[in-house]
Amino acid sequence: MSEAKKTKAASATQEAETVVYIGPDILGAKQYTTYNAGLPDALKEQIAEYRIFESLVVPVEKLAAASAELRKEGSALSVLYQKASAFSKK
């Protein structure tokens, strides 16, 4: 599957289900905000510019596991969060 198709598929999934943004606060999107009618434009723009933010949007049923992984130093989500934090300050 091409990268563009994967992005569209991921976006469609995020539009259809309740998701939680677990990344750093950015203008227009706060950490642990739940979205059930699609993502806000500010977050969509961050995802378009820095794909890393897409990994920080998780289905609500996976929130507990994702939160635990965020707290675990060196885990994939923890590393992604740190990188996203650097991008969000630019």
Side-chain angles (χ1 to χ4, degrees), residues 52-73:
I52 199 165
F53 284 88
E54 188 172 29
S55 300
L56 299 170
V57 177
V58 297
V60 73
E61 48 282 341
K62 294 184 180 182
L63 178 59
S67 293
E69 189 175 342
L70 272 180
R71 290 188 300 271
K72 186 176 178 185
E73 189 174 332

Side-chain angles (χ1 to χ4, degrees), residues 31-79:
Q31 185 179 35
Y32 293 114
T33 301
T34 303
Y35 301 101
N36 62 4
L39 300 176
D41 290 339
L43 188 50
K44 287 179 184 177
E45 290 170 10
Q46 282 292 94
I47 290 171
E49 188 169 351
Y50 304 107
R51 295 291 309 270
I52 199 165
F53 284 88
E54 188 172 29
S55 300
L56 299 170
V57 177
V58 297
V60 73
E61 48 282 341
K62 294 184 180 182
L63 178 59
S67 293
E69 189 175 342
L70 272 180
R71 290 188 300 271
K72 186 176 178 185
E73 189 174 332
S75 70
L77 275 181
S78 178
V79 170

